Amino acid sequence: MSDTRRMLAEMVDPLFAGMGAAAIVERDIARLEELGLPNLLVPEAEGGFGGSWLDALTVFRLAGYHALGIDLPKLIVKRAAVADTELAMAFARACQIAGALDAALALSIAYANERQQFGRPLGKFQAVQQSLASFACEAAAANCAAMGAAQALDRGNAEFEVAAAKLRANRAVEMGTSVAHQVHGAIGFTDEYALAPLTRRLWQWRSEYGNDACWSARLGSKVIAQGADRFWPDLSARTDHS
């Protein structure tokens, strides 16, 4: 992470944590505007932040991590006036899913280490450890896919990477939410506990701007059109940016 993105994360992380999943009030919106976050992707020459898509990844992911009550990513994309709003928003949702999965995983690990079952922490049971390890793999995959999509967006041609990222993030939601609620039991469904808003948003974001079938079909049609012999050369060419 660059120094600029590190400072950006240090600024928005406590801000989003304070706002949380509750409905945003006018003073929160004013605070976001004061910091210039809605203009994150607007060029500096036009009075914006002049940020990159990697900067956007940082903000979108933390918005997901804290299940932010306002759809800040949508506002950022709208202000940026991008050519393909559906593709930029699919990227935003992939980033938010990645962040929310990390938050749900952290809650699940903490709860498993605190909750006692048969005289020892729940996290000491091998079955629970294996489930959490699988969850961690899914969260990591979603985060890596979002990072790859951000890098591709900054290069300019990112339809393949965004499609892959949204599909990978979508597929991680079912595993992640299932394990999180299995570990937490009944408490995970209560509105007072932090897991509930996270998993509600995860299922919402999974269906928005392209579900699994949508992005699978788009990726598959591209691969078929190019032919089997072109798949690996084309894929490796997209990732060969030394």
Side-chain angles (χ1 to χ4, degrees):
M1 181 183 290
S2 69
D3 290 340
T4 300
R5 284 191 286 279
R6 186 174 294 106
M7 289 188 292
L8 182 62
E10 290 172 354
M11 176 181 72
V12 302
D13 190 24
L15 175 67
F16 292 173
M19 292 179 176
I24 299 295
V25 296
E26 288 299 321
R27 67 172 178 272
D28 292 329
I29 297 175
R31 179 63 171 150
L32 294 174
E33 293 285 2
E34 179 185 344
L35 293 173
L37 288 175
N39 296 321
L40 178 67
L41 295 174
V42 176
E44 290 185 57
E46 299 175 17
F49 188 89
S52 67
W53 286 103
L54 282 167
D55 295 327
L57 167 64
T58 300
V59 174
F60 294 170
R61 185 191 163 278
L62 285 170
Y65 189 93
H66 295 291
L68 195 64
I70 185 174
D71 196 349
L72 178 61
K74 188 173 184 178
L75 183 57
I76 289 173
V77 170
K78 183 178 179 180
R79 295 251 181 118
V82 295
D84 189 340
T85 302
E86 181 185 9
L87 193 72
M89 280 308 302
F91 165 71
R93 293 299 188 247
C95 297
Q96 289 172 278
I97 287 172
L101 286 171
D102 279 350
L105 176 62
L107 284 172
S108 300
I109 292 172
Y111 185 80
N113 288 331
E114 295 169 1
R115 174 70 173 172
Q116 296 286 321
Q117 188 78 14
F118 303 113
R120 57 176 176 161
L122 192 63
K124 294 294 185 181
F125 291 89
Q126 188 175 17
V128 175
Q129 293 174 350
Q130 290 175 339
S131 293
L132 289 172
S134 296
F135 184 179
C137 288
E138 292 295 301
N143 276 277
C144 287
M147 174 66 77
Q151 292 169 336
L153 281 165
D154 279 335
R155 292 194 299 268
N157 180 7
E159 185 176 357
F160 183 91
E161 287 82 359
V162 171
K166 184 58 162 68
L167 177 59
R168 190 62 188 87
N170 282 355
R171 298 192 62 151
V173 168
E174 184 172 4
M175 156 72 84
T177 55
S178 295
V179 171
H181 282 290
Q182 287 168 4
V183 169
H184 280 90
I187 192 175
F189 292 94
T190 60
D191 289 336
E192 293 77 14
Y193 192 72
L195 182 64
L198 284 169
T199 53
R200 282 199 301 269
R201 295 276 165 76
L202 280 166
W203 282 100
Q204 173 189 338
W205 295 332
R206 182 190 187 193
S207 65
E208 291 179 340
Y209 301 101
N211 58 18
D212 297 29
C214 169
W215 291 112
S216 295
R218 288 180 67 165
L219 285 171
S221 64
K222 285 185 174 296
V223 171
I224 292 170
Q226 292 170 341
D229 292 340
R230 291 300 313 160
F231 176 72
W232 183 251
D234 288 347
L235 183 63
S236 58
R238 298 193 72 86
T239 57
D240 185 17
H241 296 278
S242 56

